[in-house]
Amino acid sequence: VNEINMKKRLKIRKKLNRYDKFDKSFYNKVQKGYLKISKKKSKKYLIINSNLEIKKNENIVIERVKKLIS
């Protein structure tokens, strides 16, 4: 988990929810779990880098979906 970007996103939120208050180690465990699953089934999952610009991630997802439906 990129702690710097996570902190930036939390600062701009108007209201924090209960997940925003969890410890960093929780998110590291969750991330490792998802990465482990995605490596086992790489054709089924797509890892998105949340540090990229939203528009860039949007294009990545759209291109992946296009491949799946064509």
Side-chain angles (χ1 to χ4, degrees), residues 39-54:
K39 286 179 183 176
K40 287 182 180 179
K41 299 181 180 184
S42 61
K43 290 183 181 182
K44 189 173 183 177
Y45 295 94
L46 173 65
I47 300 298
I48 302 293
N49 182 348
S50 64
N51 296 316
L52 299 177
E53 294 179 18
I54 291 173

Side-chain angles (χ1 to χ4, degrees), residues 17-60:
N17 62 43
R18 70 185 195 118
Y19 300 105
D20 297 331
K21 298 173 187 173
F22 287 167
D23 188 57
K24 185 179 101 173
S25 65
F26 168 79
Y27 291 104
N28 287 333
K29 287 178 187 176
V30 171
Q31 183 183 45
K32 285 179 185 178
Y34 278 117
L35 290 174
K36 185 177 179 181
I37 291 168
S38 71
K39 286 179 183 176
K40 287 182 180 179
K41 299 181 180 184
S42 61
K43 290 183 181 182
K44 189 173 183 177
Y45 295 94
L46 173 65
I47 300 298
I48 302 293
N49 182 348
S50 64
N51 296 316
L52 299 177
E53 294 179 18
I54 291 173
K55 200 68 174 166
K56 190 165 190 163
N57 276 332
E58 181 181 302
N59 290 334
I60 291 168

